[in-house]
């Protein structure tokens, strides 16, 4: 089997020009990188406030929010979601602003997945 392009010695008009068929390669698009949004434990922010944050800004139900809050409390931090850069950045800003307005030192960060 030959890997060269198909060639005809004569085209439809009968003259001797050669033609070839080449396939164009489609450019591959890459998905944008994703970012993990994490909550960090502290000794001052009430657990109920963390649950409220998780429900309000991450759309979790009470049981899911409670479970993640316990993970933050026991392990020191927990990933609360994975998003595009813009969404992750917005979530971090919303959480940090809300915590400051309620005078809690809660920390929310993001890092590339």
């Amino acid at each position: 089997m030959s890997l060269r392009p198909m060639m005809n010695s004569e085209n439809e008009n009968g003259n001797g020009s050669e033609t070839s068929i080449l396939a164009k390669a489609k450019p591959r698009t890459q998905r944008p990188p994703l970012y993990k949004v994490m909550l960090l434990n502290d000794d001052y922010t009430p657990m109920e406030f963390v649950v409220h944050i998780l429900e309000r800004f991450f759309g979790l139900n009470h049981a899911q929010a409670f479970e993640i809050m316990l993970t933050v409390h026991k392990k020191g931090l927990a990933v609360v979601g994975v998003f595009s850069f813009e969404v992750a950045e917005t979530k971090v800003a919303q959480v940090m602003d809300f915590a400051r307005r309620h005078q809690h030192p809660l920390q929310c960060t993001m890092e590339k997945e």
Side-chain angles (χ1 to χ4, degrees):
M1 176 177 198
S2 174
L3 296 177
R4 290 187 285 161
M6 294 174 49
M7 302 225 175
N8 293 335
S9 59
E10 289 189 3
N11 67 10
E12 293 176 25
N13 297 334
N15 59 21
S17 67
E18 292 185 353
T19 59
S20 63
I21 300 170
L22 298 175
K24 285 188 179 181
K26 289 186 179 180
R28 275 205 142 154
T29 56
Q30 290 184 345
R31 290 182 173 239
L34 296 176
Y35 291 80
K36 299 184 286 190
V37 174
M38 298 170 290
L39 286 181
L40 286 71
N41 190 39
D42 64 70
D43 294 333
Y44 304 101
T45 305
M47 292 179 177
E48 298 81 21
F49 185 78
V50 175
V51 170
H52 179 69
I53 291 255
L54 293 167
E55 292 171 342
R56 179 172 179 164
F57 296 108
F58 297 94
L60 301 175
N61 65 39
H62 189 75
Q64 292 168 321
F66 192 81
E67 190 70 30
I68 290 175
M69 176 276 298
L70 284 179
T71 302
V72 172
H73 182 68
K74 291 176 183 176
K75 295 189 176 183
L77 69 91
V79 174
V80 295
V82 179
F83 308 96
S84 68
F85 178 81
E86 292 80 8
V87 173
E89 187 177 51
T90 300
K91 299 255 184 218
V92 168
Q94 288 173 327
V95 168
M96 294 294 289
D97 180 58
F98 192 74
R100 297 301 160 264
R101 282 191 282 128
H102 289 84
Q103 293 152 0
H104 295 298
L106 182 66
Q107 293 293 308
C108 185
T109 63
M110 61 186 265
E111 70 179 38
K112 201 170 193 177
E113 189 174 48

